[in-house]
Amino acid sequence: MKTTAPFIRSILLCIAMATVWGQGLSSAARAVDSQRLRNTFDQPPREYASAPLWVWNDRLTEEQIANTMRDLASQGVKQVFVHPRPGLMTPYLSDEWFDLWRVALREAERLDMNVWIYDENSYPSGFAGGLVPKAMPESRGMGLAIEEKESPIQANADLVAVFKPTADGYANVTEQAKAGSLEAGKYLVASLRWAGTSPWYGGTFYVNLLTPGVTEKFLELTMEPYVKNIGSQFGNRVPGVFTDEPHLSPAGGLPWSKDLAEVFQKRWGYDLIDSLPSLARPVGDWRRVRHNFVQTLLDLFIERWGKPYYEYCAKHNLEFTGHYWEHEWPNCMMAPDNMAMYAWFQRPAIDNLMNQYSEDVHGQFGNTRTVKELSSVANQLGIGRTLCEAYGAGGWDLRFEDMKRIGDWLYVLGVNTLDEHLSYITIRGARKRDHPQSFSYHEPWWKSYHVMANYFTRLSMILSAGEQVNHILVLEPTTSAWMYQG
């Protein structure tokens, strides 16, 4: 084995370097010193190591934090995302929480590791484990339902509009409905829906990221405690922050906010309320209305979530990474345009879970579109690093063969940071059923995982170099898909 290992490493290096200069996966258009790559190939810097979601899911001790970090480092895993997860008993963002963070950072210094922030207590990002809803009740998730109903129509605070069918569309009869003067018949009724409370959201609700001020309150309540307690490590042992599946459909129906109709009017010059039937039926200039509606949602998602978060991270020397709902396409109501949102990441990212190959439009492993969207945005914007959350729910029986097959597929399409889902500190009780497997001492193969970790670390370094050269342009019809939402 000692005599063949250098030969195997040389073959791997040649293949990887041929990939870099032949088809290129990174978008960083900069000169590459091949000798430097050769010199660091055996032991790449920690920023190229895989970075699992390191699950904090119990009443944790300093000893557990230190021991699991040492265990991860022993297998070549030199980065982690601290991921609060169901089962967490240590109070989130408390003094005890940051005492454990300081232990993690001391170990990171000793072991030469990075420790990333995961921005939520569970997921989806935005509610800060319930802190945002408690501090800002007006942040409650909101949607708009457009349904056919028979009179009488109940007029209440949630009623937005009522429409009567006509020969060529629908007429707005909201005032008659509020006055109780509608004749018997069927009507199209638009009304508000509200996100329900759930233990998942700390007994509160998911928020409306279209509501002004919600993102700022989230950053204040979530990120400012990190700035106060560990901000000196930002850009050093703490490279950045991961956001997980923020979205615009917290209550069902169409995404909505109290000022959406006003914003729509200013941007497009016509009344959204009168045009609501076009969002539910192919009447009137429905393609135009739907396109303009979803474009407004996208603009507000960027202006009120993606851009302020991106700028906050830039200000604090952090990389903003994570992922949206990229597997929903061509349904664009959770996130109107994933590629547009990736432009507001310092490190664009996706997830690609499980171990079942599928080329279905909503598939994960096998869904080439999602990975090429990622690498395309990185290339267009000159961003050198991309990330993928991988393997989650692949099962306790996931093998090295599976990991390599999935990882190679991701890397050849443009990923160059591997984020394993998940690495548990404990699997006691129901925790063992939370999207297994685990990249940890719980697995019988764990003591050999350094083989896989070192492979992807080296591949990450090589594929983060070079310049991508494209000969084919593929247009993705996302804005066309907008016209068929409803």
Side-chain angles (χ1 to χ4, degrees), residues 48-127:
Y48 298 109
S50 65
L53 298 174
W54 179 35
V55 177
W56 289 17
N57 62 342
D58 211 318
R59 192 65 183 243
L60 301 173
T61 66
E62 294 185 4
E63 182 179 20
Q64 285 176 306
I65 298 298
N67 286 346
T68 53
M69 286 195 76
R70 292 167 191 168
D71 198 36
L72 288 163
S74 74
Q75 294 304 311
V77 177
K78 305 302 288 290
Q79 301 191 89
V80 291
F81 289 89
V82 174
H83 181 14
R85 191 98 179 160
L88 178 67
M89 298 166 68
T90 301
Y92 182 55
L93 300 180
S94 64
D95 290 342
E96 183 181 351
W97 178 265
F98 286 107
D99 286 343
L100 296 176
W101 256 92
R102 280 182 275 271
V103 171
L105 289 172
R106 284 199 299 268
E107 286 299 311
E109 193 68 37
R110 190 178 72 83
L111 299 166
D112 190 28
M113 295 179 70
N114 284 337
V115 185
W116 295 67
I117 298 167
Y118 179 102
D119 71 3
E120 190 52 84
N121 184 4
S122 189
Y123 55 91
S125 296
F127 68 103

Side-chain angles (χ1 to χ4, degrees), residues 126-174:
F127 68 103
L131 297 176
V132 172
K134 289 174 182 176
M136 190 179 181
E138 65 271 28
S139 69
R140 187 170 196 151
M142 178 189 297
L144 185 74
I146 305 177
E147 303 167 301
E148 189 173 83
K149 295 185 177 181
E150 294 190 11
S151 60
I153 305 300
Q154 182 180 4
N156 55 35
D158 291 339
L159 182 68
V160 174
V162 180
F163 301 90
K164 179 181 179 179
T166 65
D168 58 353
Y170 287 86
N172 190 334
V173 293
T174 306

